[in-house]
Amino acid sequence: MAISSGKLFRGSAGYIIAAALLSLALVACGGAPADAASSTAAVVSAHSEDAPRPSGNSATDGLNWINFRRQEAGLTLLQRNGRLDVAASGQSNYLQANKTVTHIQTVGKPAFTGVTLTDRLAASGYAFSRDGHVSGEVIASTGSSSGFNAADELVTAIYHRFVVLEPMSKQAGVAVAGGSDGIYFTADMVADGLDHGLGIGKFITYPVADQELVPTVFHSDGEKPDPVPNHHDVGFPVSIHADLLSSVQVQRFTLRPHGGAPLPVQLLTSATDPNTPTSAAAIIPLDVLLASTLYDVQFVGRVDGQPVSRSWQFSTQ
């Protein structure tokens, strides 16, 4: 699987700031591992009491899986919007017609609906009612037809997770193009207004406290830009997320097997990584995590200038 980041845009009081990952536009591309569908099915089964059940529609499954992970983290569920579905459908159809993965459509090519996400939202008839807003897009091209798999790959890939778990997003449109041999999954997410998020000084974590069956591995080379250069198989990323307009400073962020020593990690913050928003931070273990193991996480820092400290645990598959 290959994943490449795009751009993220936020608008407020008539201005737009554009920088890599200071907006909510990312792209996940490439084929999933051969066992990806069965692996995701195992996760669904393991979460039988809470996880969404297959609906028979890959796009719906993808949004349900995103909302499942958002709900686990304590975030607002994304409400499906028909006009956003139209924008997402135009993007998925374009990707399939041109056998490509990109956020930017080219005028004159088959299935063209708009050069940028902003253009496609306008073409779909979606209009923001307020000056302050957030819009974002994530795309997954997978080797299976599973919407659950496509969505969970986006949650795993850390730069895409920053988008999928953005606390301020409130609506979404989803679409799939393709069939049993693979799909192009698109999710367009928006926040019409910047006044409804977690609030000043608040943040969520992922994995969440006491989460079980967390994957042991993340294929870092599959995300472009690569969050951990010169490493391919690394451990599952651990992250914290505040509102898009918030600021996060890290004083200590550690991961260790329960009772063991801290693991070597790659720290991602806006101060050292241009693809990490100011409102989030992450650590990526440099080695694959151990199976069936309890891990301890500690984060100490500041969110919106307020001192914060949190410790939690999760266990792996």
Side-chain angles (χ1 to χ4, degrees), residues 36-37 40-41 58 61-62 142-151 179-180 183 185:
T40 301
S58 296
D61 286 347
T142 74
S144 80
S145 61
S146 169
F148 291 145
N149 176 68
S180 60
I183 59 173
F185 172 81

Side-chain angles (χ1 to χ4, degrees), residues 152-289:
D152 213 48
E153 293 287 0
L154 292 168
V155 174
T156 298
I158 187 58
Y159 292 146
H160 298 72
R161 186 191 303 171
F162 292 147
V163 177
V164 172
L165 297 186
E166 168 52 49
M168 302 190 84
S169 295
K170 297 296 183 290
Q171 294 180 303
V174 290
V176 161
S180 60
D181 59 344
I183 59 173
Y184 293 92
F185 172 81
T186 300
D188 291 337
M189 293 160 281
V190 306
D192 191 3
L194 300 177
D195 54 349
H196 297 291
L198 296 172
I200 294 175
K202 296 182 179 180
F203 64 96
I204 60 98
T205 71
Y206 198 85
V208 301
D210 302 320
Q211 184 167 328
E212 299 177 341
L213 297 171
V214 172
T216 60
V217 63
F218 166 47
H219 303 297
S220 174
D221 289 353
E223 187 161 22
K224 306 299 180 185
D226 185 349
V228 192
N230 304 316
H231 290 72
H232 177 53
D233 291 343
V234 294
F236 192 80
V238 179
S239 54
I240 69 162
H241 307 251
D243 292 339
L244 183 63
L245 301 182
S246 292
S247 63
V248 170
Q249 292 86 40
V250 177
Q251 296 173 352
R252 184 165 63 254
F253 202 171
T254 60
L255 174 69
R256 69 183 74 204
H258 185 60
L263 300 178
V265 298
Q266 175 77 38
L267 174 65
L268 301 181
T269 70
S270 62
T272 59
D273 176 34
N275 300 298
T276 299
T278 59
S279 58
I283 49 174
I284 305 177
L286 297 183
D287 297 305
V288 175
L289 299 181

